Amino acid sequence: PAPPPPAPPSSLPATLPPTLLARLKHWCQIQPSKRALTFIDDKGKEVASLTYAETYARAQSIANGLLPPPPPASSSSFSRVKKPTLPLPLQKGDRVLLVFLPSLDFTIAFLACLMSGLIPVPVFPPDPRRLNKDLYMFTSIQVKLPSLPPSLPPSLPPSLD
């Protein structure tokens, strides 16, 4: 008979959380300052990195703006201020087209979609030589693409570029 598999190192729990987001949150709590993501360019040079805490915080910040806020718990009519909503409100389960070149921005956007219960659909930016074909492919995905609400920056901070 084969020998039993070796025990996991003591820093790893016997069972890890079952999903990518649960694992990200787990490692964010256990070792927030440890490097989680590193982007390496075509020449093999490290160009950007994020810790577990930075990764989680940036993805959560974007995720918070993707879906309309839940209705207020109280129904008091005195302090009812209508908050602006997205032009085409997204709902959990909607597909979101992620048009990115490989980058940490893509990874953060992907995680933000998962955190919001949205389905990320990654695609490369359109090729100018095949623009009609690429744009047809984009529209065939049938996603709702809102403009970002004013509370969110149009892109991630320059530290991710």
Side-chain angles (χ1 to χ4, degrees), residues 34-57:
K34 185 171 181 178
R35 188 184 309 195
L37 302 172
T38 301
F39 185 74
I40 299 173
D41 67 14
D42 293 339
K43 297 177 177 107
K45 181 182 173 196
E46 181 180 315
V47 293
S49 65
L50 293 171
T51 65
Y52 283 103
E54 292 167 331
T55 301
Y56 192 85

Side-chain angles (χ1 to χ4, degrees), residues 3-109:
S10 59
S11 64
L12 294 175
T15 58
L16 283 171
T19 67
L20 175 65
L21 292 179
R23 287 183 185 199
L24 175 61
K25 190 172 185 177
H26 168 81
W27 290 117
C28 182
Q29 293 167 348
I30 300 296
Q31 47 195 15
S33 59
K34 185 171 181 178
R35 188 184 309 195
L37 302 172
T38 301
F39 185 74
I40 299 173
D41 67 14
D42 293 339
K43 297 177 177 107
K45 181 182 173 196
E46 181 180 315
V47 293
S49 65
L50 293 171
T51 65
Y52 283 103
E54 292 167 331
T55 301
Y56 192 85
R58 290 182 186 197
Q60 188 65 59
S61 174
I62 293 171
N64 289 340
L66 290 175
L67 298 176
S74 71
S75 60
S76 168
S77 60
F78 289 110
S79 62
R80 264 195 159 153
V81 176
K82 192 164 188 166
K83 292 185 179 181
T85 59
L86 298 171
L88 294 172
L90 292 168
Q91 297 176 1
K92 288 186 181 202
D94 282 349
R95 291 173 284 177
V96 176
L97 196 62
L98 299 180
V99 185
F100 286 87
L101 291 171
S103 65
L104 291 181
D105 291 347
F106 162 75
T107 306
I108 297 299

Side-chain angles (χ1 to χ4, degrees), residues 109-127:
F110 188 90
L111 291 169
C113 285
L114 295 178
M115 288 175 170
S116 297
L118 300 169
I119 301 168
V121 180
V123 296
F124 275 100
D127 181 342

